[in-house]
Amino acid sequence: MPLNNYAVLKGRPINNRLATGSSPHYQVLVSENGTPYRIAINVRSQDGSEVEFLVRSRFEHPITAQLAELPEGLHATASRPGGVALDFIRGNLMQPWELKPLPISAAGPDNDLNEKIDSYIQRAMSDEEAMIYAFGETWGPENDKADQYFGFKPGRGIHDIHFNQGNPSGKYASQNGPWQDGGLILEFPREQQWVAIFMKFQTQAWHSDDVDGSVIVPRDQDHPNLPHTPVDRDAIPTFDVPDGLVRIIAAYVNDVKTPERETVTLLNTADVPVDLTGWQIKDKQKNAMVLSGSITAGATQVIEIRSPVTLSNKGGIITLLNAQGLKVHGVSYTKEQAKQPGRTIPFQG
């Protein structure tokens, strides 16, 4: 079954503890209008392997507009698209090759996970307007039990601040589920800046089932329970592991005429033609349109969007699936990016 109490906590970070010990978690004390909570961020996996992470120092995604409207507090969150729930894959928060493994600690500056997280938490604690949004599973209140790190009573908080699907068979497979990923997002209103920190264990597969979040394509076909080298964005993808084989490089979402004409531009990165028969494009609401034809090796192709798919001018996500239903690529755009009629939005990576 998926996580029991998936939620997002919004509040002010006021204290912290670096990760140490046999089960290391970076700890953050958060005040929600005076009510304390602890965020426990796992920075090393149980098998001792390094955690894969991604820091977006300029996070742009339609979810930020919804987060800004949330009042401070703990908000139970439905695991479905269209709300504030996180899903690394279906929410197009990243490409798989952007996640890089990093040790919990290492000699030298700014080269371990403790330091990466700490730099932004310290900045947020020193900015009285900054807000932190922690996504994961809640615990507590623990009756009269004091929090073991910060001493407040009753103990309460949120953990599982990481990818929560694609776990192989075993201890954590029961926690798999779509639209319930953990993450840490920080808002700095003075600078009009959002920062996102995402983490994933190396044993977790990127491709997971849309219904239960179970593994579709293991990280390593011969050793599905072991970590292996992450996807390389600069390598030509294979047809067996489709990530980035065809990429969404641009979208026209705000036409100067009515009814609007909307398009998505695809790039074939392969050295052979790619048959698009049975492929799909999906929008933010997961409406799908089926593709046909093919793209020549190294060429681009403009796809005209048809109903029921629509590209909202208020921000959205665009996902490309192959004929087997596996995600090949995905992008997101904000209301700000889509506000000027007649302009095409370019995407990187």
Side-chain angles (χ1 to χ4, degrees), residues 163-176:
F163 193 57
N164 288 310
Q165 54 187 305
N167 290 295
S169 58
K171 182 177 180 180
Y172 298 106
S174 63
Q175 297 178 0
N176 286 334

Side-chain angles (χ1 to χ4, degrees), residues 216-229:
I216 295 178
V217 180
R219 290 292 306 269
D220 187 314
Q221 297 286 359
D222 297 321
H223 305 284
N225 294 323
L226 298 177
H228 79 170
T229 305

Side-chain angles (χ1 to χ4, degrees), residues 272-302:
V272 294
V274 172
D275 183 2
L276 296 179
T277 302
W279 287 44
Q280 298 179 68
I281 285 179
K282 288 189 174 184
D283 61 18
K284 183 178 181 179
Q285 302 303 326
K286 301 308 169 188
N287 300 312
M289 59 171 279
V290 180
L291 306 183
S292 60
S294 64
I295 306 182
T296 305
T300 61
Q301 185 164 318
V302 177

Side-chain angles (χ1 to χ4, degrees), residues 8 23 37 42 47 52 71 124 140 147 151 184 201 218 248 258 268 329 338:
V8 56
S23 181
Y37 289 83
N42 197 323
D47 64 6
E52 295 177 351
D147 182 79
L184 207 62
F201 300 123
I248 301 168
T258 302
N268 177 11
H329 200 243

Side-chain angles (χ1 to χ4, degrees), residues 43-123:
V43 293
R44 189 175 69 197
S45 84
Q46 291 264 331
D47 64 6
S49 63
E50 297 174 354
V51 172
E52 295 177 351
F53 87 104
L54 170 65
V55 175
R56 289 212 186 281
S57 60
R58 290 285 176 182
F59 180 56
E60 293 183 319
H61 193 277
I63 195 177
T64 58
Q66 299 178 69
L67 293 178
E69 294 177 355
L70 285 178
E72 285 190 48
L74 186 67
H75 303 272
T77 301
S79 296
R80 60 171 181 253
V84 297
L86 296 185
D87 191 306
F88 288 13
I89 308 166
R90 298 160 191 85
N92 293 345
L93 295 172
M94 69 202 66
Q95 310 303 337
W97 53 78
E98 294 182 281
L99 291 156
K100 305 296 183 184
L102 200 69
I104 177 178
S105 61
D110 195 33
N111 61 355
D112 61 56
L113 203 46
N114 249 336
E115 292 172 337
K116 294 286 186 184
I117 297 172
D118 193 58
S119 64
Y120 287 107
I121 298 300
Q122 293 288 350
R123 177 184 166 191

